[in-house]
């Protein structure tokens, strides 16, 4: 075995060790034990938990037990987080493998029930998923999330260190459940590079934070924000919103754009459906062309701002 191969093997051992240790630490901090789900009872409990979280229309479950059984038998990922004291299932996650050449897992659903909120159970679940994938020689995980939900943006992009790769318009079609509220389901597809320094730092509790104020001081331009009435206010004409246009001779000489999202889109879907629909359209008109045109989301401010780099080095 050559020195280069030995060095690569040693690095792999180090990555596996780090992933296992950080996953174990996160589970301990959350007060849970996380394990793969296999039996019919365990998979049924996962479905019941997801139905409690999403409350789907007409009682239609988000998953079928026979399908889950087949997926786990085929070697896909299904895991649950159980309270250390009571043994109650607090959170769960299901994922399946993508095209063989991609060596990638698609994390389809992850959720934490009311009893597990505020304990970082979701973080522990994702770190368990990361460790599981690395042990199976999978180097990346992809999933979708609603880019209008502020806390999900912060969790995915900052706490975990995932990065958006594609904007998907009305990806699942209209979904009438407690979270989506009968609206179109635009999603952002993110990729989690499990061996990257960004992800390793986040897993160790040292995520890379972004600051709206600091980006403004460096010359960033606001492309979308909330007006006094809470409705979206575009900051740039939509006909120039592509990374290529903006880095050439477009309306902005900025290298970075800031894209705001509302404080609580889920509450707005109930109190002001028209306003929520306006936000969906506004974010779609801004973020979709930027991502398809080569822009890169490089951070997320906790107060609800996507940081989009239009070229050059990523800060």
């Amino acid at each position: 075995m050559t020195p280069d191969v030995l060095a690569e093997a040693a690095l792999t051992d180090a990555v596996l060790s780090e992933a296992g240790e950080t996953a174990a630490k996160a589970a301990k901090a959350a007060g849970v034990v996380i394990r793969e789900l296999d039996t019919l009872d365990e998979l049924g409990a996962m479905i019941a938990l997801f139905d409690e979280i999403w409350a789907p229309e007409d009682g239609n479950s988000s998953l079928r037990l026979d399908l889950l059984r087949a997926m786990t038998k085929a070697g896909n990922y299904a895991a649950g987080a159980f309270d250390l004291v009571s043994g109650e299932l607090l959170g769960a996650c299901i994922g399946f493998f993508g095209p063989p050449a991609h060596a990638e897992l698609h994390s389809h659903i992850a959720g934490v029930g009311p009893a597990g909120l505020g304990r970082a159970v979701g973080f522990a679940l994702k770190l368990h998923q990361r460790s599981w994938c690395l042990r199976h020689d999978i180097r990346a995980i992809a999933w979708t999330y609603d880019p209008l939900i502020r806390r999900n943006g912060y969790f995915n992009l900052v706490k975990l260190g995932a990065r958006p790769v594609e904007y998907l318009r009305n990806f699942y079609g209209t979904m009438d459940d407690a979270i989506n509220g009968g609206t179109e389901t635009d999603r952002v597809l993110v990729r989690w590079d499990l061996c990257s320094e960004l992800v390793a730092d986040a897993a160790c509790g040292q995520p890379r934070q972004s600051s709206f104020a600091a980006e403004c001081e460096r010359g960033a331009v606001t492309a979308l924000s909330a007006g006094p009435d809470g409705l979206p206010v575009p900051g740039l004409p939509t006909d120039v919103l592509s990374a290529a246009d903006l880095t050439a001779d477009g309306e902005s000489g900025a290298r970075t754009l800031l894209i705001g999202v509302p404080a609580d889109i889920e509450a707005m879907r109930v109190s002001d459906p028209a306003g929520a629909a306006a936000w969906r359209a506004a974010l779609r008109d801004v973020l979709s062309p930027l991502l398809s045109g080569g822009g890169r989301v490089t951070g997320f401010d906790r107060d609800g701002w996507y940081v989009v780099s239009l070229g050059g080095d990523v800060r």
Side-chain angles (χ1 to χ4, degrees), residues 198-223:
L198 175 68
V199 171
D201 287 347
C204 292
Q206 299 176 328
R208 298 183 190 177
Q209 303 284 349
S210 295
S211 166
F212 174 82
E215 294 295 344
C216 288
E217 289 179 1
R218 287 194 283 262
V221 169
T222 299

Side-chain angles (χ1 to χ4, degrees), residues 3-311:
D4 288 344
V5 173
L6 285 171
E8 183 176 348
L11 175 64
T12 300
D13 289 342
V15 169
L16 288 173
S17 177
E18 173 271 320
E21 290 173 4
T22 54
K25 181 183 294 186
K28 182 179 180 181
V32 296
V33 58
I34 300 176
R35 66 173 185 265
E36 292 180 58
L37 305 179
D38 179 63
T39 69
L40 289 173
D41 286 345
E42 289 176 337
L43 296 174
M46 170 192 274
I47 294 173
L49 178 68
F50 289 159
D51 288 348
E52 179 185 11
I53 296 169
W54 275 273
E57 181 186 20
D58 298 329
N60 294 321
S61 292
S62 54
L63 291 168
R64 282 174 37 181
L65 183 59
D66 59 339
L67 179 60
L68 276 182
R69 183 68 156 170
M71 289 174 65
T72 56
K73 178 61 177 175
N76 291 288
Y77 177 85
F82 297 85
D83 185 86
L84 274 174
V85 178
S86 69
E88 178 184 0
L89 180 65
L90 301 178
C93 185
I94 177 74
F96 47 82
F97 291 109
H102 289 187
E104 184 173 287
L105 184 82
H106 183 86
S107 185
H108 180 49
I109 302 178
V112 176
L117 296 178
R119 293 171 51 174
V121 174
F123 183 66
L125 270 169
K126 294 303 289 186
L127 292 196
H128 178 275
Q129 189 181 54
R130 174 178 179 247
S131 179
W132 184 92
C133 280
L134 289 172
R135 293 198 310 272
H136 288 79
D137 202 28
I138 302 300
R139 308 302 177 92
I141 303 174
W143 65 88
T144 65
Y145 79 96
D146 186 343
L148 281 172
I149 300 179
R150 183 182 293 187
R151 69 178 183 280
N152 287 355
Y154 183 82
F155 179 74
N156 291 320
L157 306 188
V158 180
K159 287 285 291 182
L160 296 179
R163 286 294 177 258
V165 294
E166 187 177 0
Y167 189 98
L168 304 168
R169 299 187 178 208
N170 199 23
F171 186 59
Y172 298 109
T174 300
M175 297 176 68
D176 193 4
D177 56 37
I179 293 178
N180 294 287
T183 62
E184 291 189 334
T185 53
D186 285 26
R187 295 292 184 263
V188 161
L189 178 69
V190 296
R191 188 175 190 272
W192 205 23
D193 184 355
L194 303 183
C195 297
S196 71
E197 183 179 346
L198 175 68
V199 171
D201 287 347
C204 292
Q206 299 176 328
R208 298 183 190 177
Q209 303 284 349
S210 295
S211 166
F212 174 82
E215 294 295 344
C216 288
E217 289 179 1
R218 287 194 283 262
V221 169
T222 299
L224 182 66
S225 62
D229 57 0
L231 296 178
V233 178
L236 292 170
T238 56
D239 60 352
V240 299
L241 277 174
S242 78
D245 289 339
L246 289 166
T247 54
D249 295 320
E251 294 288 327
S252 170
R255 297 273 295 281
T256 303
L257 296 182
L258 300 169
I259 300 171
V261 293
D264 190 346
I265 189 65
E266 292 163 298
M268 185 180 289
R269 285 170 182 156
V270 176
S271 64
D272 183 9
W279 268 106
R280 173 67 77 205
L283 185 62
R284 174 190 292 171
D285 288 345
V286 173
L287 190 55
S288 178
L290 286 172
L291 287 178
S292 63
R296 293 168 295 166
V297 176
T298 57
F300 189 87
D301 178 280
R302 193 161 199 164
D303 289 331
W305 297 93
Y306 288 95
V307 180
V308 181
S309 172
L310 302 178

